[in-house]
Amino acid sequence: MAATRQPSPAKQITPVRIILIAALLLFLYHNLIHNLGVFPEEWNLGLREPLDMFKKWVIVANRDGHWMFALFFQPLKGSIDFFMRRIEDFMYWLPWTVIIAFVFFLANKIGDLKLALLTAFSLLMMGLLGLWDESMRTLALMVTSVIIALAIGLPLGVWAAHNDRVETMLRPVLDAMQTMPAFVYLIPVVLFFGIARVPSVIATIIYAIPPVVRLTNLGIRRVSEESIEAARSFGSTPRQIMLKVQIPQAMPSIMTGVNQTIMMALSIVVIAALIGGGGLGDVVLKSLRRLQVGSALEAGLAIVFMAVLLDRLSFAFSQIEHVSVKKHQGFRLLPRKWGGKSWAKAIERPITWVYAMSGRLEKKVVHLFSRLLPKQDENINSAGYFITMALGLLLLLGISFALSWVEFPENWDLSLSKPVDTAVKWAQVNLYQIGDTFIGTGPFSDFVSLYMLRPLRLLLLEWLAWPIIILLISALAWKAANWKLAVYSALSMLFIGWLGLWEASMDTLSQVLVAVLISVLIGVPLGVWSARNDSAEQFLRPILDFLQTIPTFVYLVPVIMLFNLGRVPGIMASVMYAIAPTVRLTNLGIRQVDEAAVEASVSFGATTWQTLRNVQLPLSLPSIMMGVNQTIMMVLAMVIIAGLVGAAGLGFSVIDAMQNNKMGASIEAGLAIVLMAIVLDRITQSWAQKQADAANIT
Amino acid sequence: MNKPKISFRNVWKVFGPTPEHIIETVKPETAVSDILAKTGHVVAVRDVSFDVYEGEVFCVMGLSGSGKSTLVRCLSRLIEPTAGKIIVNGDNVVEMSEEELRDLRRHKMSMVFQRFGLFSHRRVIENIAYGLEIQGVEREERIKHSYEILEKVGLHGWDQHYPHELSGGMQQRVGLARALAVDPEILLCDEPFSALDPLIRRDMQNELLRLQRDLQKTMVFITHDFLEALKLGDRIAIMKDGEVVQIGTPEDIVANPINDYVHEFTKDVPRVKVLTARTVMKPVTHKEELIGRAVAIDTTLEKLIPLTADTDDAILVMDGEDNVIGEVNRKRVMMALATIQKKEV
Ligand SMILES: Nc1ncnc2c1ncn2[C@@H]1O[C@H](COP(=O)(O)OP(=O)(O)O)[C@@H](O)[C@H]1O
Ligand SMILES: [Mg+2]
């Protein structure tokens, strides 16, 4: 064997070590000899002045009919506005009965009766909460944005699938777009279009486009070579191949993209209340400002119902299978396990009966109309269903107008706000501290601020002066990836300083770190638990799904109920929103650990705990890191939202500046968040990648 | 035989950055692997010429990677040949415009694929109707016609199912039906039965023979299974490293394998079932002895053995018009078997 010299790692001089030593020397100098002070103010780039000037220029140019506005922005604004108003008017004109019935029948067709009931119930709840009009307004905004996003995104995806150069050009753009927090999209749009509903539509379109482009491209590229070749061999034109083979075969993937686009659109449409988007988000925002938790909760619930409705419905589209005979499974409202119980039977029997009757009725009606259709049409059932549905809806429309059931009845009111407000008062008094113990929201909140946030902030702002932090971050970047990322990270951090936002950024960073820490502390054990226990996984999955479906904004409502205002509620909202990927990927990582490795460990007599610590956790580390990376990105996406409940730092700067009409300052803070997000994303992702590579090599 | 339906003339296909250059410079004796090592070009089809006659089943047989799929795809230009001429019905396919080519694919030839290549989002009947749909046939008419084909390939009652709900053998029936629905003059099959279980494969081979008796298509049938080629092919071309090394009837090839490569395939063939009086006979020696027992020219060795076993006399061989064209005796039959023995040792 050739004796390769292995320099002992301790003696090796690496650039990372040099940087770390420099940081250490600086640290000693800073703390023992001479304070390095804060980030020099005279280095401030003063970006906000030109930005504010630009904003003024936009206003003037707009008024004076500068060609750019007269020929481009105004017509764009005008046509989107026109389009949206038509949709909105239509939805206001439609009686609520017809809307609910339409969604019910549609869901029943593409999904099953359970889905139909769920969606109808969601809509009904929006009405019962007294928020029908606001919900329709949000829905109109959604429909407008999603239609335009799809109209742009689908062709773009198709184009990318057919042209490698387009794909390579689009990919980094799409990646960057998905790294940025939703809110960041609102800022430049506001700059050009001011505060109103159209800019929220535009921001929504831009934010929500990436998934549909990505998944259309991916879906088309994954269509099997052989079926395309078969199509060519029959003399299909490229266009025929596209329309008859590629797009239909890619449909599940495309619909998954549409589902994601819809959900992203919803999350931003709600936030867009901040720039005058109106609708449900507006109700939440106004109530939060007035600290009327009850009505905030109502609007929050309506948003959750909207999210569930849109998610389940569009997900069902992506799950449509090509099966000749839909298996009739009957209908089960309750879990199978409860089937034996007599009370469960009593509930399910009438439902089963109605289901069977309606099925029979449907068949009769379809049969009636099938005579109108061309013979031997294999889609006869679908066509029949939709014709039946259309006629039924028309009938209902007539009845509704005749009986003037147009507006959602006002006296059908579930009003939650009063009892909730009472409950919140009760909670604030009684949950603050339970008896003389240290259990309660108060002590918890104090613990987080006193023992986690404050020391961390002190560390970042006082003990470590800014040059030390920059050195440490670049050392981290170098270790995770290479010198390029180190330089890039250092420059990004410097830039944050140049923006004059060093302190606010460190404040935000400390909150982000605490939120991530709490997420990991809770999320990893939960992940381990669900990896070791199937029923735990089954229990957690719907909860995690649910947490990821809800638009970020809504998380503010419960935390404000429990923690009032400040940094802690912001952190708790971030944890709720961002914990899911850590749990999921820990679970996945551990479940994917090679069984042989586990068996080997057990055969050596390792205890469960030893096996977990020495085999399963290390082997699933790449997956866990991936989860943590996603969690970090989601926490960062919450920074601005957390600013709404008074979590100081960059998020608060954005909100505050925006509300005081200081565009420049708002953009600066937004930029700082984006820079921080990119740096953290790159470092953690490279790190996860390195772990994964190392795991694959060995 | 009648006139050629398809003619390959010096057809090449080279994969790589400068394929034309390779064809000009490569020497005939250079091995394909050397070309790949030296130039990075894959010579998939190498100077191939042969004719396929109307109504015959022409099998192309060779090991995996010998260029069969590439060759058959050159025929409909699913892969562009690098050089050579491919004449179909008197027209050179290589020079056809996009339009003419599309017309050729729509009306003259259709193809069956190894992994079926069915459209998973379409029902069986819509899969079968695909070719007609592309031709622009009205919906009602193409569906009606597709039902007729569906019956022909024995898929009655499966019309409304999706491909993934069918077994492999049934899926390939759909593939076959889809190809036959456009009533093509030429049927191209690229290892259509290779992905099937042996028993199903035999069913499908018999099915194809049965259909071919009615339809009398010109068929180019690719396979890597020599026995399949023997069973289905009127003639067989054997490919190696992109070249056709031998063309002949199954009997020709089994009786006279041209080299070790071909002999390797013929080794395990039950010759008594393949060789016939045609191969074993010799010219008639004594004209005056033209009486005695006679057999038809395509009588297999299997049947000749008991006939010659108990007599030293020659047995006459007759063609279709009852003319005596040769004779066989025990010695010749045994020699035919002995030849086999000799070669195998
Ligand atoms: N698109 C391609 N690019 C490069 N080489 C190819 C390509 N397609 C086929 N080949 C090569 O051409 C040779 C013949 O392939 P193929 O015609 O598929 O053989 P067969 O069908 O007999 O198994 C193989 O060596 C294969 O690797
Ligand atoms: Mg092949």
Side-chain angles (χ1 to χ4, degrees):
Chain A
M1 291 240 91
T4 46
R5 255 187 305 146
Q6 283 277 352
S8 88
K11 282 178 198 152
Q12 209 178 13
I13 301 173
T14 64
V16 175
R17 291 223 162 81
I18 296 176
I19 298 175
L20 284 177
I21 289 167
L24 181 68
L25 291 178
L26 263 181
F27 174 74
L28 295 174
Y29 178 79
H30 172 67
N31 284 294
L32 300 177
I33 303 170
H34 178 75
N35 196 314
L36 288 171
V38 296
F39 201 93
E41 238 167 76
E42 57 278 16
W43 290 4
N44 197 322
L45 282 178
L47 202 60
R48 64 184 65 179
E49 283 88 26
L51 282 170
D52 283 336
M53 297 264 288
F54 180 70
K55 170 96 206 265
K56 284 207 188 86
W57 176 82
V58 166
I59 293 171
V60 173
N62 217 338
R63 195 183 51 214
D64 296 352
H66 185 277
W67 63 268
M68 236 166 64
F69 291 86
L71 293 180
F72 181 67
F73 289 119
Q74 294 293 3
L76 183 67
K77 194 170 167 173
S79 42
I80 291 178
D81 196 48
F82 178 82
F83 187 46
M84 185 171 54
R85 270 177 210 290
R86 292 293 87 75
I87 290 180
E88 206 177 53
D89 288 348
F90 180 63
M91 295 186 63
Y92 281 153
W93 174 80
L94 277 180
W96 62 277
T97 45
V98 175
I99 294 179
I100 292 184
F102 171 73
V103 170
F104 180 86
F105 286 125
L106 187 67
N108 184 42
K109 178 64 197 170
I110 57 174
D112 51 12
L113 185 60
K114 211 171 189 169
L115 181 73
L117 287 174
L118 179 71
T119 50
F121 173 74
S122 301
L123 275 172
L124 197 64
M125 280 308 290
M126 292 175 207
L128 290 178
L129 288 166
L131 291 165
W132 184 264
D133 283 357
E134 287 82 356
S135 303
M136 289 307 112
R137 204 181 168 99
T138 297
L139 205 54
L141 217 60
M142 282 289 302
V143 171
T144 313
S145 322
V146 169
I147 287 178
I148 300 178
L150 296 185
I152 301 171
L154 286 172
L156 217 54
V158 172
W159 193 29
H162 280 87
N163 192 327
D164 287 340
R165 201 173 308 153
V166 173
E167 197 207 14
T168 39
M169 254 166 45
L170 275 179
R171 187 175 296 155
V173 179
L174 295 179
D175 282 348
M177 281 171 82
Q178 285 200 318
T179 325
M180 281 198 261
F183 195 90
V184 171
Y185 289 86
L186 298 180
I187 302 172
V189 177
V190 169
L191 197 59
F192 282 96
F193 295 93
I195 288 189
R197 280 192 305 162
V198 173
S200 33
V201 171
I202 294 176
T204 307
I205 294 168
I206 301 172
Y207 179 62
I209 269 183
V212 73
V213 178
R214 218 186 263 281
L215 283 156
T216 303
N217 172 36
L218 196 72
I220 292 179
R221 280 175 185 267
R222 283 213 185 137
V223 172
S224 83
E225 278 296 321
E226 198 152 66
S227 52
I228 293 176
E229 192 172 44
R232 282 177 65 207
S233 81
F234 282 99
S236 317
T237 60
R239 199 185 140 80
Q240 285 172 321
I241 295 179
M242 177 95 271
L243 294 178
K244 290 179 193 285
V245 180
Q246 288 176 301
I247 289 186
Q249 299 247 34
M251 220 48 198
S253 174
I254 295 176
M255 286 315 297
T256 306
V258 171
N259 170 270
Q260 287 181 17
T261 285
I262 290 178
M263 295 323 285
M264 288 178 75
L266 181 64
S267 74
I268 201 170
V269 154
V270 175
I271 307 174
L274 282 166
I275 60 166
L280 291 171
D282 208 38
V283 181
V284 175
L285 192 66
K286 286 210 178 96
S287 319
L288 282 183
R289 288 216 181 106
R290 296 187 202 125
L291 282 181
Q292 294 167 335
V293 182
S295 48
L297 186 74
E298 284 182 346
L301 274 179
I303 294 172
V304 170
F305 283 121
M306 179 83 77
V308 169
L309 165 80
L310 293 173
D311 182 46
R312 294 288 98 201
L313 200 57
S314 57
F315 182 73
F317 268 106
S318 69
Q319 294 303 100
I320 293 178
E321 279 179 14
H322 293 296
V323 284
S324 49
V325 189
K326 215 173 173 179
K327 267 182 237 119
H328 181 80
Q329 301 145 322
F331 175 72
R332 268 176 194 284
L333 184 68
L334 306 168
R336 198 166 287 257
K337 258 192 274 180
W338 302 352
K341 308 240 165 59
S342 58
W343 59 269
K345 271 188 197 146
I347 293 179
E348 289 203 335
R349 198 170 301 137
I351 300 179
T352 312
W353 185 79
V354 171
Y355 196 65
M357 285 310 288
S358 61
R360 223 168 292 159
L361 186 71
E362 184 191 319
K363 236 179 229 144
K364 282 230 173 76
V365 180
V366 169
H367 185 75
L368 200 67
F369 289 113
S370 62
R371 283 188 226 145
L372 303 175
L373 296 167
K375 284 246 167 54
Q376 285 186 331
D377 193 318
E378 54 274 19
N379 293 322
I380 199 153
N381 289 322
S382 300
Y385 186 90
F386 284 114
I387 290 178
T388 315
M389 178 172 126
L391 290 177
L393 288 178
L394 274 179
L395 192 68
L396 185 61
L397 189 74
I399 296 174
S400 298
F401 275 118
L403 300 177
S404 61
W405 279 351
V406 182
E407 307 261 336
F408 198 90
E410 251 174 61
N411 49 350
W412 291 14
D413 195 355
L414 254 185
S415 181
L416 290 176
S417 54
K418 289 252 167 56
V420 168
D421 281 338
T422 322
V424 169
K425 284 227 180 66
W426 181 87
Q428 280 169 351
V429 173
N430 293 293
L431 292 185
Y432 186 80
Q433 190 164 6
I434 296 167
D436 283 335
T437 60
F438 288 105
I439 303 167
T441 57
F444 177 77
S445 175
D446 291 344
F447 176 82
V448 172
S449 358
L450 285 180
Y451 298 105
M452 296 175 94
L453 277 174
R454 220 178 45 165
L456 200 57
R457 217 168 39 244
L458 222 61
L459 176 74
L460 291 176
L461 282 171
E462 312 246 315
W463 298 337
L464 302 175
W466 60 271
I468 305 174
I469 291 179
I470 292 180
L471 283 177
L472 288 178
I473 287 183
S474 43
L476 204 60
W478 201 322
K479 186 132 182 63
N482 47 30
W483 67 269
K484 277 189 224 153
L485 187 62
V487 171
Y488 181 81
S489 308
L491 282 178
S492 301
M493 294 312 289
L494 263 179
F495 198 85
I496 292 178
W498 289 334
L499 288 172
L501 289 167
W502 185 263
E503 270 182 57
S505 302
M506 288 307 117
D507 194 346
T508 294
L509 185 60
S510 67
Q511 294 170 53
V512 167
L513 290 178
V514 170
V516 171
L517 185 70
I518 296 178
S519 304
V520 170
L521 284 180
I522 302 174
V524 171
L526 279 181
V528 171
W529 182 46
S530 62
R532 305 180 59 88
N533 186 334
D534 283 341
S535 44
E537 194 197 18
Q538 269 170 18
F539 168 71
L540 283 176
R541 191 184 300 145
I543 299 179
L544 296 179
D545 281 348
F546 182 68
L547 285 177
Q548 284 195 309
T549 316
I550 305 175
T552 49
F553 208 43
V554 177
Y555 288 99
L556 296 180
V557 179
V559 297
I560 215 171
M561 284 165 65
L562 291 173
F563 298 101
N564 219 331
L565 295 179
R567 292 189 178 93
V568 176
I571 288 174
M572 293 324 291
S574 309
V575 170
M576 283 202 278
Y577 174 60
I579 200 170
T582 295
V583 182
R584 256 188 232 286
L585 283 158
T586 304
N587 171 29
L588 194 73
I590 292 181
R591 278 177 187 267
Q592 280 173 348
V593 168
D594 192 2
E595 274 194 27
V598 177
E599 261 179 23
S601 164
V602 173
S603 77
F604 280 112
T607 62
T608 312
W609 168 243
Q610 283 172 325
T611 305
L612 184 65
R613 204 188 50 191
N614 297 329
V615 180
Q616 288 170 308
L617 278 181
L619 282 178
S620 52
L621 200 59
S623 174
I624 298 178
M625 278 304 297
M626 210 83 88
V628 173
N629 167 268
Q630 286 182 25
T631 293
I632 294 178
M633 294 316 289
M634 288 169 77
V635 168
L636 277 164
M638 277 294 274
V639 163
I640 297 176
I641 312 288
L644 280 171
V645 288
L650 292 174
F652 188 72
S653 309
V654 173
I655 301 281
D656 190 48
M658 183 162 254
Q659 277 162 3
N660 293 311
N661 207 11
K662 292 186 202 147
M663 272 317 293
S666 185
I667 293 180
E668 280 183 346
L671 202 57
I673 295 178
V674 172
L675 286 174
M676 203 145 88
I678 294 176
V679 168
L680 289 180
D681 181 41
R682 291 285 154 76
I683 292 178
T684 47
Q685 232 180 53
S686 319
W687 197 355
Q689 192 57 50
K690 226 172 202 178
Q691 300 280 353
D693 291 348
N696 282 340
I697 287 164
T698 50
Chain B
M1 282 255 181
N2 34 24
K3 66 177 175 12
K5 182 90 179 163
I6 305 167
S7 304
F8 280 74
R9 287 292 172 268
N10 310 99
V11 175
W12 289 75
K13 177 64 199 182
V14 180
F15 291 106
T18 56
E20 288 87 2
H21 179 71
I22 299 296
I23 297 176
E24 284 159 19
T25 52
V26 74
K27 295 197 191 74
E29 66 274 11
T30 318
V32 166
S33 53
D34 291 341
I35 301 175
L36 179 61
K38 270 191 211 121
T39 67
H41 285 73
V42 179
V43 181
V45 173
R46 188 171 189 176
D47 202 12
V48 167
S49 304
F50 62 80
D51 293 324
V52 180
Y53 297 99
E54 186 140 15
E56 85 172 326
V57 177
F58 187 87
C59 277
V60 179
M61 190 267 153
L63 295 179
S64 163
S66 55
K68 309 177 299 289
S69 296
T70 310
L71 183 75
V72 76
R73 278 166 178 71
C74 284
L75 182 50
S76 58
R77 271 178 58 196
L78 288 172
I79 292 177
E80 290 291 335
T82 313
K85 280 194 218 166
I86 301 172
I87 315 287
V88 174
N89 287 343
D91 299 322
N92 188 355
V93 175
V94 179
E95 282 166 359
M96 280 186 182
S97 68
E98 225 16 71
E99 226 102 305
E100 292 169 306
L101 193 61
R102 211 171 288 142
D103 202 59
L104 180 84
R105 289 177 184 165
R106 283 184 186 177
H107 300 283
K108 299 278 158 44
M109 50 174 73
S110 52
M111 189 155 170
V112 184
F113 297 86
Q114 181 172 1
R115 280 183 307 276
F116 321 138
L118 299 178
F119 305 123
S120 56
H121 62 288
R122 290 172 160 242
R123 291 168 197 270
V124 165
I125 197 72
E126 295 171 306
N127 262 286
I128 297 176
Y130 184 82
L132 295 169
E133 184 178 334
I134 293 301
Q135 288 179 5
V137 176
E138 282 303 317
R139 176 174 189 99
E140 204 154 323
E141 194 187 329
R142 67 177 187 247
I143 295 288
K144 194 165 141 263
H145 184 70
S146 300
Y147 270 100
E148 286 165 18
I149 305 288
L150 183 88
E151 297 293 326
K152 247 189 209 150
V153 299
L155 280 175
H156 178 89
W158 291 96
D159 50 331
Q160 295 298 315
H161 285 72
Y162 285 95
H164 70 90
E165 298 171 321
L166 273 56
S167 69
M170 284 180 356
Q171 288 190 33
Q172 195 57 296
R173 280 168 199 260
V174 179
L176 195 59
R178 182 178 63 177
L180 291 176
V182 294
D183 197 18
E185 295 168 13
I186 299 168
L187 195 61
L188 309 177
C189 303
D190 185 7
E191 305 204 25
F193 306 145
S194 297
L196 305 177
D197 295 337
L199 283 181
I200 312 272
R201 193 183 311 167
R202 210 175 57 198
D203 277 356
M204 291 297 288
Q205 288 163 353
N206 294 334
E207 184 85 17
L208 190 74
L209 285 174
R210 185 180 64 77
L211 285 168
Q212 174 65 0
R213 262 200 300 280
D214 290 351
L215 300 170
Q216 294 293 316
K217 302 281 179 206
T218 307
M219 209 182 297
V220 178
F221 191 101
I222 309 292
T223 177
H224 66 244
D225 176 355
F226 189 60
L227 293 179
E228 185 170 72
L230 289 181
K231 181 167 180 180
L232 300 178
D234 293 320
R235 287 189 306 142
I236 301 174
I238 296 190
M239 281 188 84
K240 176 179 193 264
D241 290 344
E243 288 176 295
V244 170
V245 291
Q246 186 172 7
I247 299 182
T249 62
E251 193 179 348
D252 274 348
I253 289 178
V254 172
N256 308 303
I258 199 167
N259 57 20
D260 287 349
Y261 178 76
V262 181
H263 179 239
E264 200 58 29
F265 294 119
T266 60
K267 237 168 48 176
D268 302 327
V269 173
R271 281 150 216 254
V272 287
K273 288 198 166 92
V274 178
L275 300 185
T276 63
R278 192 196 315 273
T279 315
V280 184
M281 73 185 184
K282 61 171 185 179
V284 179
T285 40
H286 307 292
K287 289 268 182 212
E288 62 276 17
E289 285 177 18
L290 276 182
I291 42 168
R293 286 190 286 178
V295 293
I297 188 163
D298 54 2
T299 311
T300 57
L301 221 52
E302 194 176 27
K303 294 204 181 100
L304 284 174
I305 291 172
L307 292 177
T308 52
D310 58 354
T311 170
D312 293 333
D313 295 341
I315 295 178
L316 301 177
V317 180
M318 303 210 285
D319 67 4
E321 272 106 48
D322 281 355
N323 302 315
V324 173
I325 51 169
E327 61 176 43
V328 295
N329 54 26
R330 189 165 65 207
K331 188 176 159 210
R332 284 200 73 84
V333 170
M334 283 171 68
M335 282 302 285
L337 289 167
T339 320
I340 303 158
Q341 297 304 325
K342 192 180 72 197
K343 277 201 178 156
E344 291 213 332
V345 170

